[in-house]
Amino acid sequence: MRALNIKQVAEKLSLGQSTIYRMIAKGEFPRPFSLGGNRTAWLEEDVDQWLAEKAGRSLSKSIS
């Protein structure tokens, strides 16, 4: 598993950070989880799953 910060998520999706936070507020994007302190992150597989759903594709999750 790999944790991504907001900058990495924004780069992966080619979206601005404020756009991602707006989508979270609307319930249109997964919420980040706390890594402790003020640090939050997303699991890369959750971001990949969201992206696959937007593209109309299925993404089979496999444990590596």
Side-chain angles (χ1 to χ4, degrees):
M1 275 189 251
R2 181 172 176 223
L4 304 176
N5 63 31
I6 184 63
K7 185 175 178 180
Q8 293 168 313
V9 172
E11 184 176 311
K12 184 176 186 86
L13 299 178
S14 298
L15 294 172
Q17 295 178 23
S18 59
T19 300
I20 294 169
Y21 284 124
R22 268 195 304 274
M23 291 185 338
I24 292 167
K26 291 179 180 179
E28 298 171 353
F29 192 76
R31 293 179 108 23
F33 60 93
S34 175
L35 289 174
N38 292 330
R39 307 279 309 198
T40 58
W42 290 260
L43 288 179
E44 186 171 30
E45 62 190 44
D46 291 342
V47 175
D48 289 344
Q49 180 67 41
W50 179 87
L51 191 56
E53 288 171 6
K54 283 295 194 185
R57 306 226 173 147
S58 64
L59 183 68
S60 59
K61 290 188 178 183
S62 62
I63 299 174
S64 324

